[in-house]
Amino acid sequence: MKILLHSHFPAGHAYPMQAVAQELVRRGHDVVWLTSEDNEARVTFTGAKHLKTNSISFIDSPLIRTNNTGILDPHYRRLTYRRLMFRLVGQINDYRRVLRGFDADVVLVDVLPLGARALYEAGEIPVYATLGVIPMYTSGWGAPHIRSGDAPPASFYDLLLNYIHHLFIQWIVLPILLRPLLNRQRRARGFGILPYGEPMESFRYSPHLHIQASSPSLEFNQLAKPLEYREHTNFVGPLVTKLPAASGVLPPWWDDVVKHQRVVGITQGTLAMDPTSLIIPAIEALRTDPDLLLVVTSPYPELVKHRLGDLPNVRFATFLPYHLFLPQLCLLITNGGYGSVTQALSHSVPLICAGQTEDKKDTAARVEWAGAGIDLRTDNPSTRQIQDAATKILGDAGYRERAAQLGDELNELGGAVSACDLLEKLAQEHQRR
């Protein structure tokens, strides 16, 4: 089977797709992975063939320079929709370039499948699926809005206002600001026009198959509003690449971690990595607790040491394999990247989340709503905020118990194996005739 994968440029998008690619290659499929040039090593590790984006890279290059993914811009900015228009064109151009020499049976896209939808409707690809590696955004009554950082409304009045807002976006904002731009480019390339009043899900997910790298309980138990999308949404839990024996990459102090009873992990993700935002205040908050060992993953250990001086209960690493690191923790302090959160919960680790950029505030809201952690609702928490949150979580076994319940749910969903089963089934159902 020939499978075309396309992932967005950030590492947080590449890692889940890497797990899918690895499993597809293991099953003997011919896999081509279209992504940015700096993801080449992640692609080749899986055995898939790397093809770098070309037209899409013109859209992504300014975003890379500003540490912005460009996929969760505000609804009411015209730039948001111009980027989506150019992304449609870039995807069509890059997909057609790949498909000239690779007759794909299915296309899997991890974000905004505008080009895949157009090619499917024109009969140029048999079918396409989407992969959710950030929070799932839907438009039902209780679904929180993009980048709101909210949980589902608790009162009927708030529920009604929330739904009116969704209807306003569906029937006014998207038809006026987005639909004309996309239709102009679709018509110019011989595609049909998009119908009026499509819900948000139509622009974000595939109606044939959406694979969400999470679980229902971590998504507020919300599903897509349109029936077709709801019936074809599948949760598979965290998507984690299988790594070779990792003893060679473990630091010499690793035995300290294994032997310690209370290890706290501190990490700031793969995009916004300035240690002054979270890492330094987290260390300052907990460095004097003799019962804790702090393990920090950061590319800037020397800067932190220069700022804070002697840190006897802190260990630094630029990288630690999560499958070895997370099981040792009693708490993870993070800026709330979706992949880090789901993996931590899969190991029963409660969280303190401190992130407001991109999807992070929405991820943090899900963690707090599920009872598995605390959302600090800031990018730059104070030492007191972190200290209070850590004291609360470490002193309340309920956080650990709820994280374990979510972990059981996530781990039962099958990960990359389930994702590839679903993808194979979809391709078989839509075989070219």
Side-chain angles (χ1 to χ4, degrees), residues 54-220:
N54 187 351
S55 295
I56 297 171
S57 66
F58 286 104
I59 310 157
D60 290 342
S61 293
L63 300 172
I64 294 172
R65 288 195 295 270
T66 57
N67 284 335
N68 180 14
T69 68
I71 59 174
L72 292 175
D73 292 329
H75 273 302
Y76 303 104
R77 288 176 55 194
R78 289 191 176 274
L79 177 60
T80 298
Y81 301 104
R82 289 186 61 80
R83 279 181 180 160
L84 292 177
M85 177 186 71
F86 291 128
R87 193 165 295 282
L88 165 68
V89 175
Q91 288 176 353
I92 290 171
N93 291 343
D94 277 355
Y95 293 170
R96 281 178 165 170
R97 171 172 57 89
V98 175
L99 293 167
R100 279 196 292 267
F102 185 75
D103 194 19
D105 296 296
V106 62
V107 177
L108 178 64
V109 187
D110 82 332
V111 64
L112 300 171
L114 305 172
R117 176 183 178 180
L119 295 183
Y120 168 75
E121 292 172 350
E124 296 185 36
I125 57 174
V127 70
Y128 69 99
T130 44
L131 181 66
V133 301
I134 62 173
M136 192 169 74
Y137 296 106
T138 60
S139 58
W141 279 82
H145 290 271
I146 294 174
R147 293 186 72 171
S148 67
D150 292 335
S155 71
F156 177 77
Y157 177 74
D158 289 337
L159 195 68
L160 183 60
L161 287 181
N162 187 72
Y163 192 54
I164 290 171
H165 190 186
H166 277 303
L167 292 177
F168 180 73
I169 291 171
Q170 177 180 345
W171 294 102
I172 305 297
V173 176
L174 295 178
I176 290 176
L177 296 181
L178 178 59
R179 181 174 174 267
L181 295 177
L182 297 183
N183 279 341
R184 185 188 313 157
Q185 298 301 328
R186 286 171 64 100
R187 271 195 299 264
R189 286 156 180 80
F191 300 108
I193 64 171
L194 299 173
Y196 185 91
E198 287 191 309
M200 175 179 61
E201 289 92 334
S202 301
F203 302 96
R204 291 192 165 271
Y205 309 122
S206 167
H208 313 289
L209 172 63
H210 176 66
I211 301 168
Q212 184 69 22
S214 181
S215 71
S217 295
L218 200 55
E219 289 295 340
F220 305 124

Side-chain angles (χ1 to χ4, degrees), residues 338-416:
Y338 198 69
S340 296
V341 163
T342 56
Q343 288 189 62
L345 292 173
S346 75
H347 290 282
S348 307
V349 180
L351 300 116
I352 294 174
C353 299
Q356 295 288 286
T357 59
E358 299 296 335
D359 61 285
K360 292 180 179 63
K361 65 163 63 174
D362 297 327
T363 302
R366 284 155 169 77
V367 169
E368 185 163 280
W369 180 85
I374 293 175
D375 176 10
L376 297 182
R377 295 179 173 82
T378 178
D379 281 319
N380 300 283
S382 67
T383 56
R384 182 60 181 269
Q385 284 178 294
I386 296 172
Q387 192 174 53
D388 289 347
T391 299
K392 186 175 181 179
I393 291 175
L394 294 174
D396 184 349
Y399 285 100
R400 183 85 184 192
E401 290 168 3
R402 186 57 185 145
Q405 291 170 5
L406 282 170
D408 290 342
E409 181 180 322
L410 288 162
N411 293 329
E412 288 172 358
L413 294 170

Side-chain angles (χ1 to χ4, degrees), residues 15-24 26-27 42 45-47 238-246 319 321-323 343 414-418 420:
Y15 288 135
M17 189 68 83
Q18 185 183 49
V20 175
Q22 183 184 56
E23 177 62 17
L24 289 171
R26 188 193 68 78
R27 297 182 183 201
R42 298 183 179 107
F45 175 82
T46 69
L239 295 169
V240 182
T241 303
K242 295 177 181 177
L243 300 174
F319 168 79
Y322 262 18
H323 70 286
Q343 288 189 62
V417 172
S418 291
C420 293

Side-chain angles (χ1 to χ4, degrees), residues 196-408:
Y196 185 91
E198 287 191 309
M200 175 179 61
E201 289 92 334
S202 301
F203 302 96
R204 291 192 165 271
Y205 309 122
S206 167
H208 313 289
L209 172 63
H210 176 66
I211 301 168
Q212 184 69 22
S214 181
S215 71
S217 295
L218 200 55
E219 289 295 340
F220 305 124
N221 293 310
Q222 299 276 342
L223 290 173
K225 184 173 70 172
L227 180 62
E228 187 177 17
Y229 289 83
R230 191 183 317 150
E231 291 179 340
H232 295 103
T233 295
N234 291 266
F235 294 90
V236 299
L239 295 169
V240 182
T241 303
K242 295 177 181 177
L243 300 174
S247 57
V249 300
L250 293 174
W253 44 259
W254 182 249
D255 282 347
D256 297 344
V257 175
V258 174
K259 295 174 184 176
H260 208 284
Q261 295 299 308
R262 289 163 69 87
V263 181
V264 175
I266 304 172
T267 181
Q268 212 168 303
T270 58
L271 195 61
M273 294 187 287
D274 178 3
T276 62
S277 297
L278 177 59
I279 289 174
I280 287 177
I283 294 173
E284 289 179 323
L286 304 177
R287 64 187 293 184
T288 59
D289 190 329
D291 295 329
L292 299 179
L293 177 66
L294 311 183
V295 178
V296 180
T297 58
S298 170
Y300 307 111
E302 297 307 318
L303 173 61
V304 177
K305 292 174 185 176
H306 177 74
R307 286 282 298 269
L308 299 181
D310 185 41
L311 299 166
N313 71 329
V314 182
R315 305 290 184 270
F316 290 92
T318 55
F319 168 79
L320 286 172
Y322 262 18
H323 70 286
L324 299 177
F325 177 43
L326 293 173
Q328 306 298 327
L329 304 184
C330 63
L331 172 66
L332 178 65
I333 302 173
T334 173
N335 64 349
Y338 198 69
S340 296
V341 163
T342 56
Q343 288 189 62
L345 292 173
S346 75
H347 290 282
S348 307
V349 180
L351 300 116
I352 294 174
C353 299
Q356 295 288 286
T357 59
E358 299 296 335
D359 61 285
K360 292 180 179 63
K361 65 163 63 174
D362 297 327
T363 302
R366 284 155 169 77
V367 169
E368 185 163 280
W369 180 85
I374 293 175
D375 176 10
L376 297 182
R377 295 179 173 82
T378 178
D379 281 319
N380 300 283
S382 67
T383 56
R384 182 60 181 269
Q385 284 178 294
I386 296 172
Q387 192 174 53
D388 289 347
T391 299
K392 186 175 181 179
I393 291 175
L394 294 174
D396 184 349
Y399 285 100
R400 183 85 184 192
E401 290 168 3
R402 186 57 185 145
Q405 291 170 5
L406 282 170
D408 290 342

